[in-house]
């Protein structure tokens, strides 16, 4: 992995973020097609086993330098808190219309739909300095995730169940170094990744009638999923091992050079936050109702449309249009740092 000039973005990570966000959109588009289709459900399960873990791991990797300084706290507010407040409110209002539930309250403590990731990222990033102090950060994070599955009473405040169950992936990202990414991109690993992914798809197809894919959502306790309490810790470890292997397979095939979609990796936040409106509108307007949508042609069309829509939402023009709510500067809201004041004086 060559040394990049200061300020230049890494094409590998931009490619990874773009490809992962496309899979997020495709996964959401497949949701209405799962019923009655074992093949779609298997693909859905496989994608959900690694696409959000990949995002969380990458988020952890890029949070390694978070130290609670003025600049990074400001960025946390403008890049995470403000978008969360704006889109939590927007999705609530949109859901009132699309679900015909005009009484749905706006609650910043109960993340709606895909806004949970911003709430979780806020909590994870604030705890980053703590994980530098812990002697065994990943085992501790795994224990917390395992304990979370035992308690259905954690509540929905900031979607704490998801925050804790996805925590090991974030901590894993904090522990990674550039050489780890070089390791998974070796030619022999890429070849192995194809075989592993093929086997994983076969296992997913086999598991459809035997396992609840909701375990990969990391959103509920074992009791809420209708399983004995002791399933929770075991499934946490099993899902973590499975997801990390699949994330490695995914990263092994991410191009390291600049591609036509590399620049779109910088716009994944806007794509993530905006595509949910399209997904919900598609169901509200009955786009999935034609019978042919349930067949192979429909699955291909839905997949292509989802990927195209997400690609459009990640473009620089869309990113600039929505920057006022996804990446606001908000200089007016903050005092200048002490160093800036001294420099100005």
């Amino acid at each position: 992995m060559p040394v990049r000039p200061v300020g230049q973005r890494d094409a590998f990570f931009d490619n990874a973020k773009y490809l992962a966000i496309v899979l997020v959109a495709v996964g959401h588009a497949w949701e209405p097609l799962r019923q009655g289709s074992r093949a779609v459900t298997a693909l859905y399960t496989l994608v959900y086993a690694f696409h959000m873990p990949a995002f969380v791991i990458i988020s952890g990797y890029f949070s390694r330098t978070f130290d609670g300084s003025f600049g990074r706290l400001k960025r946390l507010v403008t890049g995470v808190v403000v978008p969360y407040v704006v889109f939590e409110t927007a999705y609530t209002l949109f859901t009132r219309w699309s679900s015909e539930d005009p009484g749905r309250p706006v609650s910043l403590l109960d993340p709606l739909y895909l806004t949970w990731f911003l709430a979780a990222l806020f909590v994870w990033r604030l705890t980053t300095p703590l994980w530098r102090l812990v002697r065994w950060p990943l085992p501790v994070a795994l224990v917390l995730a395992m304990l979370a599955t035992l308690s259905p009473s954690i509540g929905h405040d900031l979607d704490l169940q998801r925050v804790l169950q996805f925590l090991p992936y974030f901590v894993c990202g904090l522990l990674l170094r550039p050489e780890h990414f070089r390791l998974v991109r070796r030619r022999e690993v890429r070849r192995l990744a194809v075989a592993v992914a093929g086997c994983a798809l076969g296992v997913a197809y086999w598991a459809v009638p035997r396992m609840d894919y909701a375990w990969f959502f990391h959103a509920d306790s074992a009791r809420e999923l209708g399983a004995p309490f002791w399933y929770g810790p075991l499934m946490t470890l099993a899902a973590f091992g499975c997801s990390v292997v699949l994330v490695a397979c995914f990263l092994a095939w991410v191009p390291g050079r600049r591609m036509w979609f590399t620049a779109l990796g910088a716009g994944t936040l806007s794509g993530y936050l905006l595509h949910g409106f399209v997904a919900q509108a598609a169901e509200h307007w009955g786009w999935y109702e034609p019978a042919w949508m349930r067949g192979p042609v429909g699955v291909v069309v839905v997949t292509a449309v989802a990927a195209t829509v997400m690609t459009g939402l990640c473009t620089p023009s869309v990113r600039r249009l929505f920057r006022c709510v996804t990446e606001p500067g908000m200089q007016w809201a903050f005092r200048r740092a002490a160093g800036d004041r001294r420099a100005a004086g």
Side-chain angles (χ1 to χ4, degrees):
M1 191 177 291
V3 177
R4 293 175 289 110
V6 176
Q8 181 177 322
R9 297 183 64 94
D10 191 314
F12 170 75
F13 288 108
D14 277 339
N15 292 339
K17 289 193 293 182
Y18 166 75
L19 294 173
I21 204 65
V22 166
L23 290 175
V24 170
V26 169
H28 285 155
W30 283 343
E31 285 184 5
L33 303 178
R34 291 170 298 173
Q35 189 172 1
S37 176
R38 186 171 179 177
V40 172
T41 305
L43 288 169
Y44 180 87
T45 302
L46 179 63
V47 166
Y48 267 79
F50 75 89
H51 72 353
M52 284 312 298
F55 251 115
V56 177
I57 287 173
I58 292 173
S59 297
Y61 179 75
F62 283 102
S63 297
R64 293 172 301 156
T65 58
F66 184 86
D67 55 6
S69 62
F70 174 86
R72 291 191 169 91
L73 284 174
K74 176 184 172 184
R75 175 59 182 158
L76 184 64
V77 171
T78 58
V80 178
V81 176
V82 172
Y84 172 72
V85 172
V86 171
F87 281 89
E88 176 66 20
T89 303
Y91 272 110
T92 300
L93 298 177
F94 190 79
T95 301
R96 287 181 183 178
W97 167 76
S98 63
S99 66
E100 299 179 355
D101 181 13
R104 186 180 184 91
V106 176
S107 174
L108 298 181
L109 292 179
D110 186 9
L112 176 63
Y113 198 29
L114 46 72
T115 59
W116 72 267
F117 180 72
L118 293 177
L121 184 58
F122 175 75
V123 175
W124 295 331
R125 197 161 283 173
L126 279 180
T127 64
T128 295
L130 175 64
W131 296 111
R132 294 199 195 95
L133 301 177
V134 176
R135 188 182 296 273
W136 301 290
L138 188 55
V140 170
L142 280 168
V143 168
L144 291 175
M146 293 162 66
L147 292 176
T149 65
L150 299 176
S151 175
S153 60
I154 287 180
H156 297 288
D157 289 354
L158 295 182
D159 217 341
L160 190 57
Q161 189 69 252
R162 263 195 179 123
V163 171
L164 292 175
Q165 289 195 40
F166 271 108
L167 177 62
Y169 301 99
F170 183 80
V171 173
C172 178
L174 289 175
L175 299 176
L176 292 178
R177 296 294 179 266
E179 53 268 26
H180 297 128
F181 293 97
R182 287 196 292 268
L183 183 65
V184 300
R185 294 168 61 197
R186 294 185 303 175
R187 180 175 300 177
E188 55 270 30
V189 177
R190 289 177 178 173
R191 291 172 178 169
L192 181 61
V194 175
V196 172
C199 291
L201 181 58
V203 171
Y205 188 85
W206 171 86
V208 167
R210 297 174 175 85
M211 188 193 84
D212 189 347
Y213 53 71
W215 286 104
F216 289 114
F217 296 167
H218 298 292
D220 299 293
S221 66
R223 184 182 302 175
E224 290 169 316
L225 291 175
F229 76 93
W230 54 269
Y231 267 45
L234 292 179
M235 287 301 295
T236 297
L237 290 176
F240 181 77
C242 173
S243 296
V244 167
V245 169
L246 290 175
V247 169
C249 292
F250 167 71
L251 293 175
W253 279 97
V254 171
R257 64 186 185 279
R258 290 194 63 83
M259 308 289 289
W260 65 266
F261 54 79
T262 300
L264 302 178
T268 52
L269 178 62
S270 62
Y272 176 78
L273 292 173
L274 293 171
H275 87 279
F277 295 110
V278 181
Q280 288 190 342
E283 291 194 60
H284 175 73
W285 286 324
W287 294 355
Y288 290 93
E289 291 180 1
W292 65 270
M293 291 288 285
R294 305 289 170 173
V297 174
V299 174
V300 172
V301 170
V302 166
T303 303
V305 169
T308 301
V309 169
M310 179 57 82
T311 298
L313 293 177
C314 291
T315 56
S317 57
V318 173
R319 183 187 179 196
R320 285 192 298 269
L321 181 62
F322 288 93
R323 181 168 286 163
C324 59
V325 290
T326 59
E327 306 170 73
M330 295 183 62
Q331 300 298 334
W332 53 269
F334 298 94
R335 297 178 180 179
R336 287 187 296 174
D340 293 341
R341 290 197 298 268
R342 287 195 298 268

